[in-house]
Amino acid sequence: MSGTDLGSTASGKTVSSRIAQLFLQLSDDLGVDRDQLITNADIDPIWLENPDTYIPVETLYNLTKQLAKLTGNEDIGLWAGRASFLNQANLLQYLSAICSHFRQWLNMMPNTLETVEAIGEAVVVKEGDTLRTEWRPTVPVEVSGRYITDMMLSMSQCLLNSVCYSPVPVPKVYFNYPEPDDTTVHRQVFSGQLVFDQAFSGLFYPAAALEWPIIKVWDEKSPLAKDNLLSIIEKGSSDGFMRRIRRCIVRALPSGAMTIDTIANELAISRRTLQRRLSERNELFANIVQELRSAMAVRLLIDNQIPITEIAFMLGYADTSSFSTAFKGWHSCSPRDFVEQV
């Protein structure tokens, strides 16, 4: 079911119901009556039956506001961010399989957040020796409440603290809302200076971290393990040039703008040189891309741990419909049908 199946809303925008599920799970843990919360937030229970369903963004905002009201706790977004981090374990394994340094990981991470584009975007900004990851909501905090912003900043803090062997230090954090009366949880989640009532929300950290190595996490039972996903990416090839091309393609796919020119630039060679070297190996660039997409889609779907929506974006498709059409062309069934058959 896509977001358009839910009917029109005031904004016409929809967001993954998985975000709502995070707050609903939090409500259970905080002792809130889930049925009452769903009723107060005007959520259709049918929307929660399929994890790949999209719900109106207004519903998500209302849900977070109602949860804060029922609990009397304004810090629910900070806690939801930590839950979101843990729920992305499989995605983090995927990124660790294809990225070697924080620079590559950082380039890919915002592109894996396409499922939240209706409520905002994560943008990395570089200023001299400092980087900052900004969360840019699509509506003012007066409309959405601070809860989604808190969730994204809290999740980002967890990621920066976990993906490199040495935690990426965050000396300063900006918030686009006034300072709360009680910042105890803020100080527990964020280690740096807290600066409120700013024009944007974001985490600041050193640009030097771009060259830090990423932790490799291997679970031999997971399709993301070295002998599975990585072997698919590299195709067991002894040809170092082809391994580099395939890895570059996989890292570029989430951008949705991956072309032979972008890969040539990544390899620091001309388009003509890349085409010539592929021709020498009887390879076509378009065929390599489609082969990678097809094989990776199968391997990721088998595990059924990463949502179909996220798999679609990771493979460079603008939406699940486009991904489903391509998958049917490769395997004569939809991604969902494939999952049900395995």
Coordinates of all heavy atoms in Angstrom, one line a residue, residues 17-94:
S17 N 4.9 4.5 8.2 CA 4.3 4.2 9.4 C 5.3 3.7 10.5 O 4.9 3.6 11.6 CB 3.1 3.2 9.2 OG 3.6 2.0 8.8
R18 N 6.5 3.3 10.0 CA 7.5 2.7 10.9 C 7.8 3.8 12.0 O 8.2 3.4 13.1 CB 8.7 2.2 10.2 CG 8.4 1.0 9.4 CD 9.6 0.5 8.6 NE 9.3 -0.7 7.9 CZ 9.5 -1.9 8.3 NH1 10.0 -2.1 9.5 NH2 9.2 -3.0 7.6
I19 N 7.8 5.0 11.6 CA 8.1 6.1 12.6 C 7.1 6.1 13.7 O 7.3 6.3 14.8 CB 8.3 7.4 11.9 CG1 9.3 7.4 10.8 CG2 8.7 8.5 12.9 CD1 9.5 8.6 10.0
A20 N 5.8 6.0 13.2 CA 4.7 6.0 14.2 C 4.8 4.8 15.1 O 4.6 4.9 16.3 CB 3.4 5.9 13.5
Q21 N 5.3 3.6 14.6 CA 5.4 2.4 15.4 C 6.5 2.6 16.5 O 6.3 2.1 17.6 CB 5.9 1.3 14.5 CG 4.8 0.8 13.5 CD 3.7 0.0 14.2 OE1 3.6 -0.1 15.4 NE2 2.9 -0.7 13.4
L22 N 7.5 3.4 16.2 CA 8.5 3.7 17.2 C 7.9 4.4 18.4 O 8.1 4.1 19.6 CB 9.6 4.6 16.7 CG 10.7 4.0 15.8 CD1 11.6 5.1 15.2 CD2 11.5 3.0 16.6
F23 N 7.0 5.4 18.1 CA 6.4 6.1 19.2 C 5.3 5.3 19.9 O 5.1 5.4 21.1 CB 5.8 7.4 18.7 CG 6.8 8.5 18.4 CD1 7.3 8.7 17.1 CD2 7.3 9.3 19.4 CE1 8.3 9.6 16.9 CE2 8.3 10.3 19.2 CZ 8.8 10.4 17.9
L24 N 4.7 4.4 19.2 CA 3.7 3.5 19.8 C 4.4 2.5 20.7 O 3.8 2.2 21.8 CB 2.9 2.8 18.7 CG 1.9 3.7 17.9 CD1 1.3 2.9 16.7 CD2 0.7 4.1 18.9
Q25 N 5.5 2.0 20.3 CA 6.3 1.1 21.2 C 6.7 1.8 22.4 O 6.7 1.3 23.5 CB 7.5 0.5 20.4 CG 8.3 -0.5 21.3 CD 7.5 -1.6 21.7 OE1 6.9 -2.4 20.9 NE2 7.4 -1.9 23.0
L26 N 7.1 3.1 22.3 CA 7.5 3.9 23.4 C 6.3 4.1 24.3 O 6.5 4.1 25.6 CB 8.1 5.2 22.9 CG 8.6 6.2 24.0 CD1 9.6 5.6 24.9 CD2 9.1 7.5 23.3
S27 N 5.2 4.3 23.8 CA 4.0 4.5 24.6 C 3.7 3.3 25.4 O 3.3 3.4 26.6 CB 2.8 4.8 23.7 OG 2.3 3.7 23.0
D28 N 3.9 2.1 24.8 CA 3.7 0.8 25.6 C 4.7 0.8 26.8 O 4.3 0.4 27.9 CB 3.9 -0.4 24.7 CG 2.9 -0.5 23.6 OD1 1.8 0.1 23.7 OD2 3.2 -1.2 22.6
D29 N 5.9 1.1 26.5 CA 6.9 1.1 27.6 C 6.7 2.1 28.7 O 7.2 1.9 29.8 CB 8.3 1.2 27.0 CG 8.7 0.1 26.0 OD1 8.1 -1.0 26.2 OD2 9.5 0.3 25.1
L30 N 6.0 3.2 28.3 CA 5.8 4.2 29.3 C 4.4 4.0 30.0 O 4.0 4.9 30.8 CB 5.8 5.6 28.6 CG 7.2 6.1 28.1 CD1 7.0 7.4 27.4 CD2 8.2 6.2 29.2
G31 N 3.8 2.9 29.6 CA 2.5 2.6 30.3 C 1.3 3.3 29.8 O 0.3 3.4 30.5
V32 N 1.4 3.9 28.6 CA 0.2 4.6 28.0 C -0.7 3.6 27.3 O -0.2 2.6 26.7 CB 0.7 5.6 27.0 CG1 -0.5 6.2 26.2 CG2 1.5 6.7 27.7
D33 N -2.0 3.8 27.5 CA -2.9 2.9 26.8 C -2.8 3.1 25.3 O -3.2 4.2 24.8 CB -4.4 3.2 27.3 CG -5.4 2.2 26.7 OD1 -5.6 2.2 25.5 OD2 -6.0 1.5 27.5
R34 N -2.4 2.1 24.6 CA -2.2 2.2 23.1 C -3.5 2.6 22.4 O -3.5 3.4 21.5 CB -1.5 1.0 22.5 CG -1.3 1.1 21.0 CD -0.8 -0.2 20.4 NE 0.7 -0.3 20.7 CZ 1.6 -0.6 19.7 NH1 1.1 -0.8 18.5 NH2 2.8 -0.7 20.0
D35 N -4.5 1.9 22.8 CA -5.8 2.1 22.1 C -6.3 3.6 22.3 O -6.8 4.2 21.3 CB -6.9 1.2 22.6 CG -6.6 -0.3 22.2 OD1 -5.9 -0.4 21.2 OD2 -7.1 -1.2 22.9
Q36 N -6.1 4.1 23.5 CA -6.5 5.5 23.7 C -5.6 6.4 22.9 O -6.1 7.4 22.3 CB -6.3 5.8 25.2 CG -6.7 7.3 25.6 CD -6.4 7.6 27.0 OE1 -6.0 6.8 27.8 NE2 -6.6 8.9 27.3
L37 N -4.3 6.2 22.8 CA -3.4 7.0 22.0 C -3.8 7.0 20.6 O -3.8 8.0 19.9 CB -2.0 6.5 22.2 CG -0.9 7.3 21.4 CD1 -0.9 8.8 21.7 CD2 0.5 6.7 21.7
I38 N -4.1 5.8 20.0 CA -4.5 5.7 18.6 C -5.7 6.5 18.4 O -5.9 7.2 17.4 CB -4.6 4.2 18.3 CG1 -3.2 3.5 18.2 CG2 -5.3 4.1 16.9 CD1 -3.3 2.1 17.9
T39 N -6.7 6.4 19.3 CA -7.9 7.1 19.2 C -7.7 8.6 19.2 O -8.2 9.4 18.4 CB -8.9 6.7 20.2 OG1 -9.2 5.3 20.1 CG2 -10.2 7.5 20.1
N40 N -6.9 9.1 20.2 CA -6.7 10.5 20.4 C -5.9 11.1 19.2 O -6.1 12.2 18.8 CB -5.8 10.7 21.6 CG -6.6 10.5 22.9 OD1 -7.8 10.1 22.9 ND2 -6.0 10.8 24.0
A41 N -5.0 10.3 18.6 CA -4.3 10.7 17.4 C -5.0 10.6 16.1 O -4.5 10.9 15.0 CB -2.9 10.0 17.4
D42 N -6.2 10.0 16.1 CA -7.0 9.8 14.9 C -6.3 8.9 13.9 O -6.2 9.3 12.7 CB -7.4 11.1 14.3 CG -8.5 11.0 13.3 OD1 -9.3 10.0 13.4 OD2 -8.6 11.8 12.4
I43 N -5.7 7.8 14.4 CA -5.0 6.9 13.5 C -5.9 5.7 13.1 O -6.6 5.1 14.0 CB -3.8 6.3 14.3 CG1 -2.8 7.4 14.5 CG2 -3.1 5.2 13.5 CD1 -1.6 6.9 15.3
D44 N -6.0 5.4 11.9 CA -6.7 4.2 11.4 C -5.9 3.0 11.7 O -4.7 2.9 11.2 CB -7.0 4.3 9.9 CG -7.9 3.2 9.4 OD1 -7.9 2.1 10.0 OD2 -8.5 3.4 8.3
P45 N -6.3 2.1 12.6 CA -5.5 0.9 12.9 C -5.0 0.1 11.7 O -4.0 -0.6 11.8 CB -6.5 0.1 13.8 CG -7.4 1.1 14.4 CD -7.6 2.1 13.3
I46 N -5.8 0.2 10.6 CA -5.4 -0.6 9.4 C -4.0 -0.1 8.9 O -3.2 -0.9 8.4 CB -6.4 -0.4 8.3 CG1 -7.8 -1.1 8.7 CG2 -6.0 -1.0 7.0 CD1 -8.9 -0.9 7.7
W47 N -3.7 1.2 9.1 CA -2.4 1.7 8.7 C -1.3 1.0 9.4 O -0.1 1.1 8.9 CB -2.4 3.2 9.0 CG -3.4 4.0 8.2 CD1 -4.1 3.6 7.1 CD2 -3.7 5.4 8.5 NE1 -4.9 4.6 6.7 CE2 -4.7 5.7 7.5 CE3 -3.3 6.3 9.4 CZ2 -5.3 7.0 7.5 CZ3 -3.9 7.6 9.3 CH2 -4.9 7.9 8.4
L48 N -1.5 0.5 10.5 CA -0.4 -0.1 11.3 C -0.2 -1.6 11.1 O 0.7 -2.2 11.6 CB -0.7 0.1 12.8 CG -0.9 1.6 13.2 CD1 -1.3 1.6 14.7 CD2 0.3 2.4 12.9
E49 N -1.0 -2.2 10.2 CA -0.9 -3.6 10.0 C 0.2 -3.9 9.0 O 0.8 -5.0 9.0 CB -2.3 -4.1 9.4 CG -3.4 -4.1 10.4 CD -4.7 -4.6 9.8 OE1 -4.7 -5.0 8.6 OE2 -5.7 -4.6 10.5
N50 N 0.5 -3.0 8.1 CA 1.6 -3.2 7.1 C 2.7 -2.2 7.4 O 2.6 -1.0 7.4 CB 1.0 -3.0 5.7 CG 2.0 -3.2 4.6 OD1 3.2 -3.4 4.9 ND2 1.6 -3.2 3.4
P51 N 3.9 -2.8 7.7 CA 5.0 -1.9 8.1 C 5.5 -1.0 6.9 O 6.2 0.0 7.2 CB 6.1 -2.9 8.5 CG 5.8 -4.1 7.8 CD 4.3 -4.2 7.8
D52 N 5.1 -1.3 5.7 CA 5.5 -0.5 4.6 C 4.4 0.5 4.2 O 4.5 1.2 3.1 CB 5.8 -1.4 3.4 CG 7.1 -2.2 3.6 OD1 8.1 -1.6 4.0 OD2 7.1 -3.4 3.5
T53 N 3.4 0.6 5.0 CA 2.3 1.6 4.7 C 2.9 3.0 5.0 O 3.7 3.2 5.9 CB 1.1 1.3 5.6 OG1 0.6 0.1 5.3 CG2 0.0 2.4 5.4
Y54 N 2.3 4.0 4.3 CA 2.6 5.4 4.6 C 1.4 6.1 5.1 O 0.3 5.8 4.7 CB 3.1 6.1 3.3 CG 4.6 6.0 3.0 CD1 5.2 4.7 3.0 CD2 5.3 7.1 2.7 CE1 6.5 4.6 2.8 CE2 6.7 7.0 2.5 CZ 7.3 5.7 2.5 OH 8.6 5.6 2.3
I55 N 1.6 6.9 6.1 CA 0.5 7.6 6.8 C 0.6 9.1 6.6 O 1.7 9.6 6.3 CB 0.4 7.3 8.3 CG1 1.6 7.8 9.0 CG2 0.3 5.8 8.5 CD1 1.6 7.6 10.5
P56 N -0.5 9.9 6.7 CA -0.4 11.3 6.6 C 0.6 11.9 7.6 O 0.6 11.5 8.8 CB -1.8 11.8 6.9 CG -2.7 10.6 6.5 CD -1.9 9.4 7.0
V57 N 1.4 12.9 7.2 CA 2.3 13.5 8.1 C 1.6 14.2 9.3 O 2.1 14.2 10.5 CB 3.2 14.5 7.4 CG1 4.1 13.9 6.4 CG2 2.4 15.6 6.7
E58 N 0.4 14.7 9.1 CA -0.3 15.4 10.2 C -0.6 14.3 11.3 O -0.6 14.7 12.5 CB -1.6 16.0 9.7 CG -1.4 17.2 8.8 CD -1.2 16.8 7.3 OE1 -1.0 15.6 7.0 OE2 -1.2 17.7 6.5
T59 N -0.9 13.1 10.9 CA -1.2 12.1 11.8 C 0.0 11.8 12.7 O -0.1 11.6 13.9 CB -1.6 10.8 11.1 OG1 -2.8 11.0 10.4 CG2 -1.9 9.7 12.1
L60 N 1.2 11.8 12.1 CA 2.4 11.5 12.9 C 2.7 12.6 13.9 O 3.0 12.4 15.1 CB 3.7 11.4 12.0 CG 5.0 11.2 12.7 CD1 5.0 9.9 13.5 CD2 6.1 11.3 11.7
Y61 N 2.5 13.9 13.4 CA 2.7 15.0 14.4 C 1.7 14.9 15.5 O 2.1 15.2 16.7 CB 2.5 16.3 13.6 CG 3.5 16.6 12.5 CD1 3.2 17.3 11.4 CD2 4.9 16.2 12.7 CE1 4.1 17.6 10.4 CE2 5.8 16.5 11.7 CZ 5.4 17.2 10.6 OH 6.4 17.5 9.6
N62 N 0.5 14.6 15.2 CA -0.6 14.5 16.2 C -0.3 13.4 17.2 O -0.5 13.5 18.4 CB -1.9 14.3 15.5 CG -3.1 14.6 16.5 OD1 -3.0 15.3 17.5 ND2 -4.2 13.9 16.2
L63 N 0.2 12.3 16.7 CA 0.6 11.2 17.5 C 1.6 11.6 18.6 O 1.5 11.3 19.8 CB 1.1 10.0 16.7 CG 1.7 8.8 17.4 CD1 0.7 8.1 18.3 CD2 2.4 7.8 16.5
T64 N 2.7 12.2 18.1 CA 3.8 12.6 19.0 C 3.3 13.6 20.1 O 3.6 13.5 21.2 CB 5.0 13.2 18.3 OG1 4.6 14.3 17.5 CG2 5.5 12.1 17.3
K65 N 2.4 14.5 19.6 CA 1.9 15.5 20.6 C 1.0 14.9 21.6 O 1.0 15.2 22.8 CB 1.1 16.6 19.8 CG 2.0 17.5 18.9 CD 1.2 18.5 18.1 CE 2.0 19.4 17.2 NZ 1.2 20.3 16.4
Q66 N 0.1 13.9 21.1 CA -0.8 13.2 22.1 C 0.0 12.4 23.1 O -0.3 12.3 24.2 CB -1.7 12.4 21.3 CG -2.8 13.2 20.5 CD -3.7 14.0 21.4 OE1 -4.0 13.6 22.5 NE2 -4.1 15.2 20.9
L67 N 1.1 11.8 22.6 CA 1.9 10.9 23.5 C 2.6 11.8 24.6 O 2.6 11.5 25.7 CB 3.0 10.2 22.7 CG 3.9 9.3 23.5 CD1 3.2 8.3 24.4 CD2 4.9 8.6 22.6
A68 N 3.1 13.0 24.1 CA 3.7 13.9 25.1 C 2.7 14.4 26.1 O 3.0 14.5 27.3 CB 4.3 15.1 24.4
K69 N 1.5 14.6 25.6 CA 0.4 15.1 26.5 C 0.0 14.0 27.5 O -0.2 14.3 28.7 CB -0.8 15.5 25.7 CG -2.0 16.0 26.5 CD -3.1 16.5 25.6 CE -4.3 17.0 26.4 NZ -5.4 17.4 25.4
L70 N -0.2 12.8 27.0 CA -0.6 11.7 27.9 C 0.4 11.3 28.9 O 0.1 10.8 30.0 CB -1.0 10.4 27.1 CG -2.3 10.6 26.2 CD1 -2.4 9.4 25.3 CD2 -3.5 10.7 27.1
T71 N 1.7 11.4 28.6 CA 2.8 11.1 29.5 C 3.3 12.2 30.3 O 3.9 12.1 31.3 CB 4.0 10.5 28.7 OG1 4.5 11.5 27.8 CG2 3.6 9.2 28.0
G72 N 2.9 13.5 29.9 CA 3.5 14.6 30.5 C 5.0 14.7 30.4 O 5.7 15.3 31.2
N73 N 5.5 14.1 29.3 CA 6.9 14.1 29.0 C 7.3 14.7 27.7 O 6.9 14.1 26.6 CB 7.4 12.6 29.1 CG 8.9 12.4 29.0 OD1 9.6 13.3 28.5 ND2 9.3 11.3 29.6
E74 N 8.0 15.8 27.7 CA 8.4 16.5 26.5 C 9.6 15.9 25.8 O 10.0 16.3 24.7 CB 8.6 18.0 26.7 CG 7.4 18.8 27.1 CD 6.5 18.9 25.8 OE1 6.9 19.5 24.8 OE2 5.3 18.5 25.9
D75 N 10.2 14.9 26.5 CA 11.5 14.3 26.0 C 11.3 13.0 25.2 O 12.2 12.3 24.9 CB 12.4 14.0 27.1 CG 12.8 15.3 27.9 OD1 13.1 16.3 27.2 OD2 12.9 15.2 29.1
I76 N 10.0 12.7 24.8 CA 9.8 11.5 24.1 C 10.5 11.4 22.8 O 10.9 10.3 22.3 CB 8.3 11.3 23.8 CG1 7.7 12.5 23.0 CG2 7.5 11.1 25.1 CD1 6.3 12.2 22.5
G77 N 10.8 12.5 22.1 CA 11.5 12.4 20.8 C 13.0 12.0 21.0 O 13.5 11.3 20.2
L78 N 13.6 12.5 22.1 CA 15.0 12.1 22.4 C 15.1 10.6 22.7 O 16.0 9.9 22.2 CB 15.5 12.8 23.7 CG 15.5 14.4 23.5 CD1 15.9 15.0 24.9 CD2 16.5 14.8 22.5
W79 N 14.1 10.0 23.3 CA 14.1 8.6 23.6 C 13.8 7.8 22.3 O 14.4 6.8 22.0 CB 13.0 8.2 24.7 CG 13.4 8.7 26.0 CD1 14.6 9.3 26.4 CD2 12.6 8.7 27.2 NE1 14.6 9.7 27.7 CE2 13.4 9.3 28.2 CE3 11.3 8.3 27.5 CZ2 12.9 9.5 29.5 CZ3 10.8 8.5 28.7 CH2 11.6 9.0 29.8
A80 N 12.8 8.3 21.5 CA 12.5 7.6 20.2 C 13.7 7.6 19.3 O 13.9 6.7 18.5 CB 11.3 8.4 19.5
G81 N 14.6 8.6 19.4 CA 15.8 8.6 18.5 C 16.7 7.5 18.8 O 17.3 6.9 17.9
R82 N 16.8 7.2 20.1 CA 17.7 6.0 20.5 C 17.1 4.7 20.0 O 17.8 3.8 19.6 CB 17.9 6.1 22.0 CG 18.7 7.3 22.5 CD 18.7 7.4 24.0 NE 19.5 6.3 24.6 CZ 20.8 6.2 24.6 NH1 21.5 7.1 24.1 NH2 21.4 5.1 25.2
A83 N 15.8 4.6 20.1 CA 15.1 3.4 19.6 C 15.2 3.3 18.1 O 15.5 2.2 17.6 CB 13.6 3.5 20.0
S84 N 15.2 4.4 17.4 CA 15.3 4.4 15.9 C 16.7 3.9 15.6 O 16.9 3.2 14.6 CB 15.1 5.8 15.4 OG 15.3 5.9 14.0
F85 N 17.7 4.4 16.3 CA 19.1 3.9 16.1 C 19.2 2.4 16.1 O 19.7 1.7 15.3 CB 20.0 4.6 17.1 CG 21.4 3.9 17.2 CD1 22.3 4.1 16.1 CD2 21.7 3.2 18.3 CE1 23.5 3.5 16.2 CE2 23.0 2.6 18.4 CZ 23.9 2.7 17.3
L86 N 18.6 1.8 17.2 CA 18.7 0.4 17.4 C 17.9 -0.4 16.3 O 18.3 -1.5 15.9 CB 18.2 0.0 18.8 CG 19.2 0.3 19.9 CD1 18.5 0.0 21.3 CD2 20.5 -0.4 19.8
N87 N 16.9 0.2 15.8 CA 16.0 -0.4 14.8 C 16.7 -0.4 13.4 O 16.2 -1.0 12.5 CB 14.7 0.3 14.7 CG 13.7 -0.3 15.7 OD1 13.0 -1.3 15.5 ND2 13.6 0.3 16.9
Q88 N 17.8 0.4 13.3 CA 18.5 0.4 12.0 C 19.7 -0.5 12.0 O 20.6 -0.3 11.2 CB 18.9 1.9 11.7 CG 17.8 2.8 11.5 CD 18.2 4.2 11.0 OE1 18.7 4.3 9.9 NE2 18.1 5.2 11.9
A89 N 19.8 -1.4 12.9 CA 21.0 -2.3 13.0 C 21.3 -2.9 11.6 O 22.5 -3.0 11.2 CB 20.8 -3.4 14.0
N90 N 20.3 -3.4 10.9 CA 20.6 -4.1 9.7 C 21.1 -3.1 8.6 O 22.0 -3.4 7.8 CB 19.3 -4.8 9.2 CG 19.1 -6.1 10.0 OD1 19.7 -7.1 9.7 ND2 18.2 -6.0 10.9
L91 N 20.5 -1.9 8.6 CA 21.0 -0.9 7.7 C 22.4 -0.5 7.9 O 23.2 -0.3 7.0 CB 20.1 0.3 7.7 CG 20.4 1.5 6.9 CD1 20.5 1.1 5.4 CD2 19.5 2.7 7.1
L92 N 22.8 -0.4 9.2 CA 24.1 -0.1 9.6 C 25.1 -1.2 9.2 O 26.2 -0.9 8.7 CB 24.2 0.2 11.1 CG 23.4 1.4 11.6 CD1 23.5 1.5 13.1 CD2 23.9 2.7 10.9
Q93 N 24.7 -2.4 9.3 CA 25.5 -3.5 8.8 C 25.7 -3.4 7.3 O 26.8 -3.6 6.8 CB 24.9 -4.8 9.1 CG 25.1 -5.3 10.6 CD 24.7 -6.7 10.8 OE1 23.7 -7.2 10.2 NE2 25.4 -7.4 11.6
Y94 N 24.7 -3.1 6.6 CA 24.7 -2.9 5.1 C 25.8 -1.8 4.8 O 26.6 -2.0 3.9 CB 23.4 -2.5 4.6 CG 23.4 -2.1 3.1 CD1 23.4 -3.0 2.1 CD2 23.4 -0.7 2.8 CE1 23.4 -2.6 0.8 CE2 23.4 -0.3 1.5 CZ 23.4 -1.2 0.5 OH 23.4 -0.8 -0.8

